[in-house]
């Protein structure tokens, strides 16, 4: 099989030659290295993107256990629950019940920005790490006593309005009843205190932790404050974690359009906002994977419809704003949104035209958590770049293939123990925001509700790949074969990719950059990618004496 | 204020740790494993641990950190992780072909009580360990000790698995560098070479975690101690273990198993600790100290003489790992500074006593604690402010809130580079430390002085 030509001086040819590579033979070549059983398993996760029929895509296997020793980039249930969903809420004390590591590593390492000035008490505990720092004696005799005492001390020292407790691996094994302890302490201290059973071994990835977190938020936080706020179009932004200030910029855009965000799950969030979130008219989902559970449960209990939106990419932002305006069907909002789009697109188009001259036809690969590997393709499209391969660490089939496959997904033994809450209509507060028949049909003013078509639908057929839970080895092979111009993933991949002599953009932390959401963010992103790909450093890698070795020989002969 | 909720008033906490000044064992074991050439560290537990450990080491070094995991599921957590580890060993050797797999454990596999040697035996019997390839393991329960303990356990495992004696005492010293940076390991090797001492340094992360950009990724970089070298450690003339917590267990194991005499010294940070290291090597190897090292020592002293006014009686708050803090405290005292808050998260009985001895003659009260956290450290600083803070990156929140100059030292440093390239051990490293201290203090003086007092020459 032909690999791509040597990268050094043939950037421009890549655009043409990569299409000549046969993806099925790439797949065969890569999988050949594995022991046969592993190759069979990985084969189902490594899919050449094509349509099976009009409506559906090639089936991909996802959300199953990681193969031991394969070097996956996945994390655990605790990371999904504490690190991702609950971590960004500033005024709750998140107490890790376990040995010191889990709390330590999730301390300030995700860039969830927060602005404490937007809640009256100004509380912000996100700069702190709270842990019970379990010792051997707690493993032997149980940690409930220490947990109880730690909650008391946290309350005495910080007087928070809410404390939540996160279970780590040994907690489940030694049988500490975190929920009993938190119930008891809630009664004693009179503030909301609750626990999460998010032991690291639950499920197969961070994904289980999202679900556990969604359940906890829904049971203990959402719906506690019925105050109805002013504002014509009241929405919740779900699955937006304000990495690098993305939420701030979306909020600013919404304000311009006259749309009010009641609560964001959970970037720049506060307990107060969560408690009031059930008073919104509409839930907007950014990251489908991490928060679709809350959206479904809120619809069921309170009658709030949800729709998928995407604010990554200027075109996606415009489309999402139009979708929201169309949903409300109010001409005033529709007009306002059009004005805002027209206004914002001036700078965007200028920036696009500038970077396109240097980026058109360049190749990208991206392997990110459970959402961004799809959304960032929009931004690359706008620069004229092509995504050849994309995948998730822990998404489920619906994120790849679209929610229409939901009825066919079987929950396997590894994920069966993640609780599914039974949700019923709230007898008093259920209030369908749109007519029941429209809610049931999932269509409002021509806008599809509760719908997500997944990543594969937006990728070119027959020449691109969807690769689930990609391994270190597969990553290296894909890089070697395609020599992409940029590779997007996380910190663990970053320096490995850069050692290959190519730029690597972190799409978890944004490499300390951002925001990348909405129009201003799109411009930031174009500039960032332009800077990375066209940096001089890539041309300095070979020393002059490697380029012209014959000179040395001449001197030697003299 | 970023740490706005930290009260000035200190109340005793028995159960709650806030802003830990330590992390857990396996990351230390992973770091030590990376100091073996051609080694893939393996975390026997659920995969979240290894993702966190790899990420933290990566952020600290800005380098690839490869490792594997057994990826426990709930089933394995109940029935044991043997099948997972056996599969992992097979997959690792087949796909990634390391020379060595170094297995460490997590709180998960330790709580359920997996027997790693028994699993290795099964792998061996099943032919899953190819000819000429090695596995080793250390038990690293996260609920005991700290990351430093994990480093010590894996370093000791290198002796237990590989060291052999040939009955002779070769003209060679074992040097165990402790948990220091790749740059420090390189400097320790350089000092030995300057003295004409033939040495085996383990673990050795030089050229593993500070490697070059060549346009080619290699999974197993050039550096690292080889298994062949480790085998020879049982026949060395002596062992110098630097850093009591990190290096003593391995040094004692060599003594117990092969009667290799050992000396446990402080990390060679600063003047006197470096003197003791050089002198110990001189005596053990029977060599003389070369002029080149005397010159470096003299240059270090010259800086102290020249800049003494800037150091004298400046108060310093230090937080970090015991081995580093003991050496740093002594050095700060040697240059007339006043280390008045010294705190480590790692529980260690000898630490407090040692710091109290070192600081006994200081003309001020000194706070010392092992097993404390950064919130307590911050409270000390609030109650008795200092002129300089020394600690890992997390200290920058305290530095900003309290407006105190800060230099980064220890692990992890997530927001600056330098530590992996420029040593802080030896005379050269001490000179760099002085430069950093002076930069911090003098930048502050420049910032704070009035236009009238602003100095060109300092």
């Amino acid at each position: 099989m032909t690999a791509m030509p040597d990268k050094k001086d043939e950037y421009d040819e890549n655009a043409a030659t990569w299409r000549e590579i046969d993806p099925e033979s790439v797949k065969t070549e890569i999988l050949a290295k594995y022991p046969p059983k592993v190759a069979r398993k990985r084969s189902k996760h490594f899919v050449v993107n094509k349509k099976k029929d009009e409506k559906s895509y090639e089936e991909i296997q996802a959300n199953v256990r990681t193969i031991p020793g394969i070097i996956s980039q996945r994390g655990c249930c605790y990371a999904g629950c504490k690190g991702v969903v609950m971590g960004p809420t500033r005024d709750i004390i998140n107490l890790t019940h376990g040995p010191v590591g889990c709390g330590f590593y999730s301390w300030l390492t995700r860039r969830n920005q927060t602005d404490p000035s937007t809640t009256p008490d100004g509380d912000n505990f996100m700069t702190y790490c709270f842990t019970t720092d379990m010792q051997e004696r707690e493993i032997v005799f149980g940690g409930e006593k220490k947990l109880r005492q730690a909650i008391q001390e946290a309350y005495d020292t910080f007087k928070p309005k809410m404390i939540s407790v996160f279970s780590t691996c040994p907690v489940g094994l030694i049988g500490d009843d975190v929920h009993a302890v938190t119930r008891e302490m809630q009664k004693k201290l009179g503030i909301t205190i609750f626990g999460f059973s998010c032991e690291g071994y639950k499920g197969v990835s961070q994904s289980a932790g999202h679900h556990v977190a969604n359940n906890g938020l829904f049971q203990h936080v959402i719906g506690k404050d019925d105050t109805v706020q002013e504002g014509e179009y009241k929405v919740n932004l779900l699955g937006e974690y304000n990495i690098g200030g993305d939420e701030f910029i979306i909020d600013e855009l919404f304000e311009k359009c006259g749309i009010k965000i009641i609560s964001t799950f959970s970037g720049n969030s506060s307990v107060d906002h969560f408690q009031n979130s059930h008073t919104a008219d509409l839930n907007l989902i950014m990251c489908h994977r991490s928060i679709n559970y809350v959206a479904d449960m809120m619809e069921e209990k309170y009658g709030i419809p949800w729709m998928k939106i995407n604010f990554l990419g200027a075109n996606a932002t415009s489309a999402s704003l139009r979708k929201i305006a169309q949903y409300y069907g109010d001409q005033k909002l529709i007009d306002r949104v059009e004005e805002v789009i027209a206004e914002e697109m001036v700078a965007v188009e200028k920036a696009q035209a500038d970077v396109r001259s240097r980026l058109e036809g360049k190749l990208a690969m991206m392997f990110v958590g459970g959402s961004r590997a799809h959304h960032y393709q929009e931004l690359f499209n706008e620069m004229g770049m092509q995504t050849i391969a994309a995948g998730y660490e822990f998404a489920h089939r619906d994120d790849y293939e679209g929610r229409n496959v939901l009825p066919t997904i079987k929950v396997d033994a590894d994920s069966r123990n993640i609780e599914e809450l039974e949700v019923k209509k709230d007898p008093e507060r259920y209030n369908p925001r749109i007519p029941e028949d429209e809610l049931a049909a999932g269509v409002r003013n021509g806008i599809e509700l509760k719908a997500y078509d997944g990543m594969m639908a937006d990728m070119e057929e027959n020449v691109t790949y969807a690769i689930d839970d990609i391994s270190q080895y597969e990553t290296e092979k894909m890089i070697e074969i395609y020599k992409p111009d940029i590779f997007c993933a996380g910190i663990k991949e970053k320096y490995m990719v850069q050692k290959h002599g190519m730029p690597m953009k972190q799409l978890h932390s944004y490499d300390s950059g951002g925001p990348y959401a909405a129009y201003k963010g799109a411009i930031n992103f174009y500039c960032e990618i332009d800077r990375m790909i066209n940096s001089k450093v890539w041309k300095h890698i070979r020393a002059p004496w490697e380029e012209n070795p014959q000179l040395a020989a001449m001197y030697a002969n003299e | 204020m970023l740490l706005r909720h930290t009260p000035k008033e200190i109340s005793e906490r028995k159960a709650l740790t806030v802003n830990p000044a330590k992390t857990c064992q396996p990351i230390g074991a992973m770091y030590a494993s990376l100091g073996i050439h051609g080694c893939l560290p393996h975390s026997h537990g659920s995969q979240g641990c290894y993702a966190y450990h790899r990420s933290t080491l990566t952020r600290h070094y800005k380098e690839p950190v490869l490792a594997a995991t057994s990826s426990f599921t709930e089933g394995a957590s109940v029935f044991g992780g043997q099948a997972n580890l056996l599969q992992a060993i097979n997959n690792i050797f087949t796909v990634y072909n390391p020379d060595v797999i170094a297995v460490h454990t997590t709180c998960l596999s330790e709580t359920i009580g997996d027997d790693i040697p028994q699993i290795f035996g099964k792998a061996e019997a099943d032919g899953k360990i190819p000819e000429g390839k090695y596995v080793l393991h250390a038990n690293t329960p996260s609920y005991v000790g700290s990351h430093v303990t994990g480093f010590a356990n894996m370093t000791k495992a290198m002796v237990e698995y590989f060291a052999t004696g040939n009955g002779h005492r070769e003209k060679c010293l074992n040097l165990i560098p402790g948990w220091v940076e790749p740059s420090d390991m390189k400097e320790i090797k350089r000092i030995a070479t300057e003295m004409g001492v033939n040495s085996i340094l383990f673990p050795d992360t030089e050229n593993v975690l500070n490697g070059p950009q060549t346009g080619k990724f290699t999974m197993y970089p050039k550096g690292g101690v080889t298994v062949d070298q480790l085998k020879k450690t049982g026949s060395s003339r002596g062992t110098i273990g630097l850093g009591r917590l990190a290096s003593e267990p391995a040094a004692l194991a060599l003594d117990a198993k092969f009667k290799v005499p050992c000396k446990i010294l402080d990390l060679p940070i600063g003047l006197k600790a470096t003197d003791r290291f050089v002198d110990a090597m001189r005596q053990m190897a029977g060599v003389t100290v070369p002029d080149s090292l005397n010159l470096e020592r003299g240059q270090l002293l010259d800086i102290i003489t020249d800049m003494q006014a800037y150091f004298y009686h400046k108060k310093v708050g230090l937080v970090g790992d015991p081995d580093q803090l003991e050496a740093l405290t002594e050095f700060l005292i040697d240059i007339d500074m006043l280390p008045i808050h010294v705190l480590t998260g790692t529980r260690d009985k000898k630490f407090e006593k040692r710091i109290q001895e070192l600081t006994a003659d200081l003309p001020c009260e000194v706070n010392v604690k092992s097993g404390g956290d950064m919130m307590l450290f911050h409270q000390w600083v609030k109650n008795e402010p200092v002129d300089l803070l020394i600690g890992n990156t997390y200290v920058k929140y305290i530095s900003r809130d309290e407006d105190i100059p800060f230099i980064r030292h220890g692990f992890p440093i997530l927001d600056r580079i330098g530590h992996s390239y420029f040593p802080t051990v030896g005379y050269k490293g001490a000179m760099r430390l002085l430069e950093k201290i002076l930069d911090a203090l003098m930048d502050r003086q420049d910032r704070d002085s009035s236009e009238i007092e602003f100095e060109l020459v300092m």
Side-chain angles (χ1 to χ4, degrees), chain B residues 324-356:
Chain B
Q324 264 83 5
L325 292 186
E326 289 180 11
L328 269 175
T329 299
E330 186 185 30
F331 185 40
L332 294 175
I333 292 169
D334 286 340
I335 58 172
D336 299 320
M337 296 185 90
L338 303 174
I340 62 165
H341 307 308
V342 188
L343 182 141
T344 179
T346 301
R347 264 171 247 269
D348 171 42
K349 282 187 190 124
K350 291 182 184 163
F351 175 79
E352 292 184 13
K353 201 166 159 258
R354 177 80 199 288
I355 299 292
Q356 277 155 1

Side-chain angles (χ1 to χ4, degrees), chain A residues 153-255:
Chain A
E153 288 172 5
Y155 177 78
D156 292 344
T157 314
F158 300 100
K159 293 287 181 312
K161 53 194 164 202
M162 199 177 279
I163 297 175
S164 64
V165 175
F166 299 85
S167 306
T168 61
C169 289
V171 170
L173 300 175
I174 63 174
D176 273 3
D177 191 341
V178 165
H179 304 286
V181 172
T182 49
R183 267 196 304 274
E184 178 196 323
M185 292 309 285
Q186 164 158 312
K187 212 173 272 171
K188 182 178 174 195
L189 300 174
I191 59 165
T192 306
I193 303 177
F194 60 103
F196 292 99
S197 291
C198 55
E199 289 87 347
Y201 55 75
K202 291 262 176 83
V204 298
S205 67
Q206 290 94 312
S207 179
H210 301 150
H211 198 162
V212 172
N214 278 231
N215 290 350
L217 276 173
F218 191 73
Q219 285 174 297
H220 300 282
V221 190
I222 295 168
K224 291 264 168 81
D225 169 15
D226 291 329
T227 315
V228 177
Q229 300 190 49
E230 283 186 28
E232 263 174 292
Y233 316 106
K234 288 179 291 192
V235 301
N236 294 316
L237 191 54
L238 267 55
E240 165 48 61
Y241 300 99
N242 202 23
I243 306 286
D246 278 349
E247 195 269 350
F248 293 145
I249 213 161
I250 296 170
D251 195 22
E252 189 187 298
L253 182 67
F254 276 24
E255 214 165 287

Side-chain angles (χ1 to χ4, degrees), chain A residues 33-35 38 41 65-76 78-80 83 95 99-110 116-117 121-125 127-137 139 145-147 149-151 153-155 157-158 168-170 173-174 200-206 414 417-418 471-474 476 491-502 537-538 541-542, chain B residues 2-7 11-27 40 42 46-56 58-59 61-75 77-78 83-85 87-92 94-96 107-109 111-112 141-147 210-219 345 347 374-375 379 392 394 397 411-412 414:
Chain A
K33 175 101 174 177
Y34 288 128
V38 174
K41 281 187 197 159
R65 63 171 64 176
T66 316
I67 297 168
I70 199 160
I71 312 193
S72 146
Q73 309 296 353
R74 281 174 166 180
C76 67
Y78 166 86
L95 171 61
V100 69
C102 311
F104 182 87
Y105 303 115
S106 56
W107 178 20
L108 287 167
T109 46
R110 287 178 64 81
S117 75
D121 56 24
D123 279 358
N124 178 17
F125 298 110
T127 49
Y128 292 86
C129 163
F130 304 94
T131 169
T132 54
D133 185 14
M134 274 178 141
Q135 300 297 304
E136 198 156 22
R137 62 178 174 270
I139 300 295
K145 195 175 148 207
K146 191 172 193 184
L147 174 60
Q149 175 71 17
I151 292 170
E153 288 172 5
Y155 177 78
T157 314
F158 300 100
T168 61
C169 289
L173 300 175
I174 63 174
Y201 55 75
K202 291 262 176 83
V204 298
S205 67
Q206 290 94 312
D414 293 320
N417 293 338
I418 307 302
S471 70
Q472 163 71 23
Y473 158 72
E474 292 161 22
E476 275 190 71
I491 185 71
K492 297 192 291 298
E493 297 96 316
K494 175 152 182 109
Y495 302 101
M496 176 267 293
V497 172
Q498 287 187 175
K499 293 277 193 214
H500 280 283
M502 64 180 62
V537 67
W538 310 116
I541 291 173
R542 284 166 74 93
Chain B
L2 285 158
L3 299 169
R4 68 186 72 190
H5 300 283
T6 301
S11 50
E12 198 198 2
R13 283 176 282 121
K14 286 187 183 138
L16 179 69
T17 293
V18 185
N19 299 353
K22 65 169 178 182
T23 183
C24 65
Q25 281 209 41
I27 195 169
L40 190 72
H42 181 89
S46 60
Q47 69 210 8
C49 312
Y50 110 126
Y52 277 140
H53 301 143
R54 289 179 62 200
S55 297
T56 305
T58 299
R59 290 179 180 122
Y61 287 113
K62 321 288 181 215
E63 288 289 318
V65 173
L66 272 301
T69 170
S70 297
S71 291
F72 274 54
T73 56
E74 189 152 17
S77 306
V78 176
N84 291 56
L85 185 53
Q87 263 190 69
I89 289 172
N90 188 36
N91 288 335
I92 291 168
T94 311
V95 182
Y96 297 108
C107 44
L108 176 53
S109 54
T111 304
I112 64 178
S142 312
Y143 44 77
V144 175
S146 75
H147 56 295
N210 57 359
Q213 166 66 281
T214 60
K216 283 205 172 70
F217 169 70
T218 36
M219 193 157 162
R347 264 171 247 269
M374 283 210 201
M375 179 161 132
Q379 290 175 311
N392 69 24
Y394 284 98
Y397 289 78
F411 179 83
L414 309 172

Side-chain angles (χ1 to χ4, degrees), chain A residues 62-104:
Chain A
N63 191 36
V64 300
R65 63 171 64 176
T66 316
I67 297 168
I70 199 160
I71 312 193
S72 146
Q73 309 296 353
R74 281 174 166 180
C76 67
C77 181
Y78 166 86
C81 181
K82 194 269 185 181
V84 172
V85 179
M86 296 306 295
T89 305
R90 61 177 169 263
D91 49 359
I92 181 167
I93 283 195
N94 285 326
L95 171 61
T96 301
H97 186 38
V100 69
C102 311
F104 182 87

